[in-house]
Amino acid sequence: YPRAAYAAMVTRLDNYVGELMQRLRSLGLLDNTLVIFTSDNGPHQEGGNDPAFFHSSGIFRGIKRDVYEGGIREPMIAAWKGHVPAGRTSDFVGAFWDFMPTFIALTDAPEPSQHMDGISFLPTLLGDTADQVQHRFLYWEFHETEGKQAVRMGKWKGDRVAVDHDPDAPIALYDLDTDPGERHDVAGEHPKIVSEIRHLMDSSYVESPL
């Protein structure tokens, strides 16, 4: 304990997913149901959990509450017989704010009047990658642990930490195509990319009235 408890919880979750799929099958709903399995963050260390012991982040750096890939890059599995091609993987780069526009497109629901940052990834789900709109960039910020910001722009990932103490803190730059683990900072080699990411960080941040 608590490693055994964590392993037991993972096993139980796996069993629950199996029970859900079996229930949908028994009710004759499985072929008409889109099932998505994912998570909202990387592995955590609350309650004494030991992500290092389980190698939970794999090749990625960081855990929950980090804006490194280990904290925000998540697997996602989607199943919908006759609609989502089986056995296929996708390199689409999206985020949770893409779910609402995706479900709107899927159900022909009216779009909300307010602005949405997300884009529909329904074409990717259905295997129609040619019609898939891509994000120009994605932005994250996290206010605990001295403040953190991150921008994903194509293959480039910019991370900035300790911004509560220094809003102009240096930006570390990583090429995720060759360095998905964010181990080698190449900011000095690509000043124009760093400058663009800094602008995106500064323009994306909005002070909360709360």
Side-chain angles (χ1 to χ4, degrees):
Y1 182 86
R3 292 172 178 170
Y6 178 78
M9 290 170 67
V10 172
T11 300
R12 173 157 292 200
L13 175 60
D14 186 52
N15 290 336
Y16 284 158
V17 173
E19 290 176 12
L20 173 65
M21 299 299 288
Q22 181 57 40
R23 184 63 170 167
L24 289 171
R25 187 177 292 108
S26 68
L27 293 173
L29 298 174
L30 190 58
D31 291 354
N32 194 37
T33 302
L34 169 62
V35 178
I36 294 176
F37 185 92
T38 187
S39 177
D40 63 339
N41 52 252
H44 67 82
Q45 57 186 7
E46 284 88 351
N49 182 45
D50 189 352
F53 175 81
F54 288 102
H55 196 50
S56 299
S57 297
I59 65 170
F60 302 115
R61 178 181 177 185
I63 59 174
K64 180 180 179 179
R65 295 188 173 87
D66 287 321
V67 292
Y68 297 118
E69 294 295 279
I72 61 175
R73 183 191 290 223
E74 299 307 314
M76 190 184 94
I77 303 171
W80 188 13
K81 187 176 179 180
H83 299 277
V84 175
R88 182 178 56 89
T89 60
S90 170
D91 59 3
F92 171 73
V93 179
F96 258 128
W97 44 95
D98 294 330
F99 274 74
M100 177 181 279
T102 300
F103 293 154
I104 286 174
L106 181 65
T107 60
D108 291 325
E111 293 192 11
S113 58
Q114 66 268 32
H115 171 74
M116 291 189 297
D117 289 322
I119 59 177
S120 170
F121 58 88
L122 184 59
T124 292
L125 281 177
L126 302 181
D128 186 14
T129 56
D131 290 335
Q132 179 61 63
V133 176
Q134 303 292 332
H135 284 281
R136 186 170 72 88
F137 73 96
L138 292 171
Y139 171 74
W140 298 266
E141 62 183 58
F142 190 74
H143 299 287
E144 296 178 25
T145 58
E146 301 183 319
K148 304 169 182 178
Q149 292 176 292
V151 164
R152 171 76 185 264
M153 186 177 65
K155 70 174 186 176
W156 299 109
K157 174 80 177 299
D159 297 309
R160 183 158 64 178
V161 299
V163 295
D164 288 350
H165 301 293
D166 181 8
D168 296 318
I171 294 172
L173 181 68
Y174 305 98
D175 180 346
L176 296 183
D177 281 356
T178 59
D179 181 27
E182 294 169 288
R183 308 294 179 184
H184 308 290
D185 181 4
V186 294
E189 303 170 29
H190 303 278
K192 290 185 178 180
I193 299 295
V194 173
S195 178
E196 185 174 356
I197 287 178
R198 179 177 291 107
H199 171 72
L200 292 173
M201 286 181 174
D202 293 342
S203 60
S204 297
Y205 173 78
V206 177
E207 185 72 28
S208 170
L210 304 177

